[in-house]
Amino acid sequence: MTDLGEVRAVLAGVADQLGSAYQHAGIARARIADAVAVLDGLGEVHSEPLVPPELLQAAEELERGLGLITFGATAVADIDARL
């Protein structure tokens, strides 16, 4: 395999891993949203909110991570296109 072929193979592997990471993060986002919804519903009968602030912070960080994954995937695709 040529050096260019090796680089493209590595980029393809990175793109696959980024795609997988995005899928897993999307599942995590949905599960966090479900947990927040359940806790919000249960909190309606309690005097205090049941959703821990850390869970909301985790959701925000996950959104930031999804953006970074997307940015990385775009960068990999741009590099591959330039090759």
Side-chain angles (χ1 to χ4, degrees):
M1 186 182 300
T2 67
D3 289 338
L4 182 58
E6 290 175 22
V7 170
R8 285 199 164 170
V10 169
L11 287 173
V14 170
D16 287 344
Q17 290 176 344
L18 286 168
S20 179
Y22 193 88
Q23 286 179 327
H24 289 292
I27 292 167
R29 174 177 50 189
R31 290 187 177 158
I32 288 174
D34 290 345
V36 168
V38 167
L39 290 170
D40 272 341
L42 293 172
E44 290 177 3
V45 295
H46 287 80
S47 60
E48 302 177 13
L50 296 180
V51 178
E54 296 84 1
L55 186 59
L56 297 175
Q57 184 179 5
E60 290 172 10
E61 287 297 316
L62 188 56
E63 286 301 323
R64 190 174 79 79
L66 283 163
L68 292 172
I69 292 168
T70 300
F71 179 77
T74 300
V76 168
D78 288 348
I79 292 168
D80 188 51
R82 284 184 273 158
L83 294 176

